[in-house]
Amino acid sequence: MFNVVRSEPAPASLAEQRKYDSEDVWIALNKVFHKKCYICETVNPLDINVEHFIPHEGSGELKYKWSNLYFSCGRCNNIKLAKYDDLLDCCDPELDVVRAIKHSPPLTPYAKKLQIEACREDEKTQLTAELLDRVFNSEHTPNKAVTAAFLRQKVFNQYNLLFTQLTKYYDPVALDEEKALAVERIKLLLKPSSPYSAFISWCVIEDDELGPILRDFIGLVEDA
Ligand SMILES: [Zn+2]
């Protein structure tokens, strides 16, 4: 999960309270969420939904409220359903959702599991970690098992991009300018607009040398 800055004002169509997913809402959500599912962090998923963070249950106010509209892929939306309706809010400007849940990437493309770990005791964090674990590791149905394996491969591919830069940075004969370039490339991977940035963030957080250097590029940062 990544921190989302709701930088766009409420789209005009919402005031009419007729449709919550008009084109202007899609355009604004695409910008705010960087075309990413806020749960699994897939960019440009095949199937995307305008989701109500708090289920509206017929309430017009919640149904057309800009701050209640999120962007999630069909798969995450399906896994979330009603069971996970009290999650950490990635749009909360006070809450560092990245550091609240540890995301560890798979070590190989076909790894059976990746690790998701709540770093706080509260119920919202626990529930959010449980949902993320299901999203990335679910074997509840054959279909979910296949799509989770596909998702883990995509996370691995992104991790591999980081690994390439780490190799360059820690090369014993790397020049200063090569190290600096690797750091700049790692910053790109840490951006909220990059896929699976929470996984990349945690690799960097856990690194004794790069963690302190890149601390300000992780979690609650200004949208770039
Ligand atoms: Zn998703």
Side-chain angles (χ1 to χ4, degrees):
M1 196 171 267
F2 63 107
N3 281 98
V4 174
V5 181
R6 202 173 280 270
S7 50
E8 295 289 302
S13 70
L14 292 174
E16 294 162 20
Q17 300 220 339
R18 280 208 304 271
K19 252 183 125 203
Y20 65 80
D21 58 353
S22 298
E23 197 185 354
D24 59 349
V25 174
W26 279 88
I27 291 169
L29 283 177
N30 264 327
K31 267 192 195 166
V32 167
F33 286 82
H34 312 287
K35 302 184 177 177
K36 268 170 89 169
C37 167
Y38 79 97
I39 298 172
C40 72
E41 287 199 75
T42 298
V43 175
N44 287 322
L46 277 179
D47 180 17
I48 45 180
N49 296 281
V50 178
E51 188 208 280
H52 292 94
F53 186 66
I54 303 168
H56 61 80
E57 291 170 347
S59 150
E61 206 215 317
L62 283 175
K63 192 170 180 183
Y64 303 105
K65 195 177 183 182
W66 172 226
S67 62
N68 196 36
L69 299 180
Y70 284 57
F71 199 46
S72 70
C73 75
R75 183 174 182 273
C76 286
N77 202 308
N78 176 271
I79 294 172
K80 185 186 169 219
L81 291 176
K83 190 182 174 212
Y84 299 99
D85 61 358
D86 193 21
L87 301 173
L88 291 182
D89 183 2
C90 61
C91 292
D92 181 346
E94 308 283 312
L95 176 67
D96 192 334
V97 288
V98 174
R99 288 184 175 85
I101 297 173
K102 182 172 175 183
H103 295 59
S104 305
L107 296 177
T108 66
Y110 293 96
K112 288 180 190 155
K113 204 173 171 354
L114 52 74
Q115 298 296 322
I116 300 287
E117 204 181 306
C119 300
R120 297 154 35 130
E121 298 290 318
D122 62 283
E123 276 181 31
K124 276 181 198 245
T125 305
Q126 299 286 330
L127 195 68
T128 309
E130 191 187 312
L131 169 63
L132 287 167
D133 181 61
R134 272 200 167 204
V135 163
F136 291 105
N137 298 316
S138 176
E139 291 183 333
H140 278 72
T141 64
N143 173 280
K144 288 282 185 300
V146 168
T147 49
F150 180 66
L151 196 49
R152 290 193 295 273
Q153 281 175 41
K154 291 181 72 158
V155 176
F156 176 81
N157 291 343
Q158 198 66 13
Y159 169 67
N160 206 22
L161 295 179
L162 173 70
F163 190 76
T164 303
Q165 296 310 318
L166 292 176
T167 308
K168 288 181 180 170
Y169 182 88
Y170 286 118
D171 184 336
V173 291
L175 301 173
D176 284 349
E177 50 266 42
E178 288 167 333
K179 286 178 107 131
L181 214 49
V183 167
E184 290 308 309
R185 294 208 163 102
I186 293 171
K187 282 181 193 170
L188 293 180
L189 297 172
L190 289 169
K191 277 183 142 189
S193 53
S194 291
Y196 316 114
S197 53
F199 290 94
I200 304 301
S201 296
W202 271 95
C203 294
V204 174
I205 288 170
E206 299 274 276
D207 189 276
D208 256 353
E209 182 166 331
L210 287 170
I213 295 173
L214 291 167
R215 189 177 48 215
D216 294 345
F217 295 87
I218 293 169
L220 273 184
V221 291
E222 280 301 303
D223 197 12

